[in-house]
Amino acid sequence: MLEPLPHVREIPPYVPGKPPPARPGLTAYKLSSNENPYPPLPGVLGAAEQAASAMNRYPDMGCVALYDALATRLGVGTDQLAAATGSVASIYHLLTAYCGPGDEVVHAWRSFEAYPIAITASGATGVKVPVTADGRHDLDAMAAAITDRTKVVLVCTPNNPTGPALTHSEVAAFVASVPDRVLVVVDEAYLEFVRMADPVDGPALLRAHPNVVLMRTFSKAYGLAGLRVGYAVAHPDVAGALRAVALPFGVSSVAQAAAVASLASEDALQARVDSLVDERARMVEGIVAAGWSVPDPQGNFVWFALGERSAAFAAAAGEAGLAVRPFAGEGVRVSVGEPEATDRLVDLLQTLEPPA
Ligand SMILES: *Cc1c(COP(=O)(O)O)cnc(C)c1O
C-alpha cells in the first residue's frame, strides 16, 4: 500500500472529551469539552431550520451575510475575514498557507491540543514552550524561541486548558518584539468570558501590527459547537490566503444562518455569558473552600494540576456522574456548566486530598 507522507504518521491523536457515564438514578453532566450548557440563543433555531429547508442548495461560498455582520461588529473590512468550520479549521488553513517542512511554529504547552496536530499535519515542526507553574504563557521564553525558521507563533488567551488570560499590554509588548515576518496568531476562543483588567483588544492589536491574526469561534460562548463555524480576522492578504486554501463550501448554510442570528442576539448572549462567569466564580469559591486551588480561570473551565493523580481524579468524577477531561500525567480540565454539576464537583473535592 502507498504510504502517506512521513509526517502523517507523526500526527498525535485528538482525544475528545468523553460523554458522561450513565449512573442509574444520577443525572450525568458533560464537563469535558468546554461546551455551553445553554440551548441556542433566541431566533437561532428558527434561522437554522429555515436554512436547513434549503439543504438541496450549496451554501453561500462568500459567506456574505456573516462577513457583513462581523465586519460591522468588529470595525474591520469584509476582506479581513475568513470563516471556517470552527476556528480549529482556521488554524489548519493558516498553517497550510504559511508553513511546510523545515518551518517552525512556536506555541505554549500545555495549550490547545489541536495545535501539535495541525502543526504536524502541515509538515512544520512545533516548538513547545512550557507554561509557567500558574498556567500562564511564558512570553519571554516564547520570544526567545523564535528563530530564522519560525513562521508562526500561536498565543492562546485565555489558555486552554490551564485557564489564565494575558493582558493587552503583555500581548502588545510581545507582538512588538516579534519580527514582522512572523505571524502571531491570537487564539481568542474564550474571549467573551474574560473578566480582568486590561483585557486583550484584538482588533487594536491588528490595527497596530498587520502580522497579527485573531482566531474566534461560535463554539464556546455562542453555543454552536455542533455546527462548526469560526473565523479569522487578519490583514486582507492573510485573510485572502486563508480563504484560498479553505475547502470550498466548508461552512454550511445552517451554520452561517445560525451564526448570523446569534450575532443579532447580543443581549441574550451577554446574559448567558454573565451567568456562566457567575457560575465560574461560584465554582472557584467552592474549590477554595474545599482547600483546593486552581490557576485564575478566565475561560469557561478550570484546571487542576494533578500530575499523576489526573486519571484517578477523572475516574472519581465519573463515579459522581461528571465527565471531565484528564490530560494524563498533567492535570484535569473541568468545564463550567450546570449549577448542580458545580455542586457535585465541590462535594467531590471535599472528599479528596488536595495536592501538596
Ligand atoms: C474550542 C477551541 C477552539 C475552537 O474550536 P472550534 O470548535 O473549532 O471553533 C479554538 N481554540 C481553542 C483554544 C479552543 O479551546
Side-chain angles (χ1 to χ4, degrees):
M1 182 58 86
L2 181 66
E3 291 289 331
L5 294 173
H7 63 258
V8 174
R9 255 190 305 270
E10 308 299 322
I11 298 174
Y14 193 104
V15 182
K18 290 203 178 62
R23 292 274 175 280
L26 194 63
T27 311
Y29 295 98
K30 182 164 184 259
L31 307 179
S32 53
S33 298
N34 293 351
E35 291 153 343
N36 195 314
Y38 292 109
L41 291 164
V44 172
L45 206 51
E49 276 167 3
Q50 201 181 339
S53 71
M55 64 171 72
N56 54 312
R57 304 291 176 192
Y58 281 103
D60 171 16
M61 202 168 127
C63 296
V64 170
L66 179 57
Y67 289 166
D68 282 347
L70 287 171
T72 306
R73 153 163 322 217
L74 300 171
V76 300
T78 52
D79 59 350
Q80 293 186 264
L81 297 165
T85 54
S87 56
V88 166
S90 293
I91 293 165
Y92 268 75
H93 294 160
L94 182 109
L95 297 173
T96 303
Y98 288 95
C99 300
D103 296 329
E104 291 177 354
V105 179
V106 173
H107 63 95
W109 199 251
R110 168 104 7 211
S111 188
F112 187 30
E113 91 166 301
Y115 296 158
I117 298 173
I119 293 165
T120 312
S122 78
T125 302
V127 177
K128 292 176 173 167
V129 178
V131 295
T132 63
D134 53 356
R136 297 173 53 83
H137 280 45
D138 185 344
L139 292 175
D140 290 339
M142 289 176 73
I146 294 172
T147 71
D148 290 345
R149 291 185 297 279
T150 307
K151 290 287 173 66
V152 175
V153 180
L154 302 171
V155 175
C156 186
T157 178
N159 187 47
N160 174 11
T162 59
L166 296 161
T167 64
H168 186 80
S169 315
E170 286 173 316
V171 180
F174 175 73
V175 174
S177 78
V178 172
D180 297 345
R181 57 170 182 82
V182 174
L183 291 178
V184 181
V185 171
V186 184
D187 185 340
E188 301 191 286
Y190 302 96
L191 88 135
E192 294 86 355
F193 301 105
V194 173
R195 297 290 183 277
M196 61 189 266
D198 193 22
V200 171
D201 178 346
L205 283 176
L206 176 56
R207 281 193 297 277
H209 300 281
N211 58 326
V212 165
V213 182
L214 311 175
M215 298 287 182
R216 296 181 170 192
T217 179
F218 287 94
S219 295
K220 308 288 165 46
Y222 285 89
L224 300 182
L227 285 180
R228 315 305 303 127
V229 51
Y231 59 97
V233 195
H235 183 279
D237 293 349
V238 176
L242 302 193
R243 292 193 303 267
V245 299
L247 295 182
F249 304 111
V251 184
S252 74
S253 44
V254 177
Q256 291 186 40
V260 170
S262 295
L263 288 169
S265 215
E266 182 66 21
D267 291 350
L269 173 82
Q270 275 315 325
R272 285 174 179 200
V273 168
D274 286 346
S275 100
L276 285 167
V277 167
D278 289 348
E279 189 59 24
R280 176 178 77 195
R282 203 174 72 82
M283 188 184 267
V284 171
E285 273 170 33
I287 289 167
V288 170
W292 290 63
S293 64
V294 289
D296 178 30
Q298 292 290 326
N300 62 342
F301 54 91
V302 299
W303 173 249
F304 296 98
L306 284 162
E308 297 306 325
R309 287 175 61 194
S310 303
F313 182 94
E319 289 297 322
L322 302 176
V324 299
R325 175 67 170 87
F327 295 81
E330 292 178 68
V332 175
R333 188 191 67 199
V334 183
S335 309
V336 178
E338 297 80 353
E340 196 199 329
T342 303
D343 295 342
R344 227 185 270 169
L345 173 76
V346 170
D347 288 348
L348 173 68
L349 292 175
Q350 275 159 351
T351 69
L352 299 172
E353 192 62 31

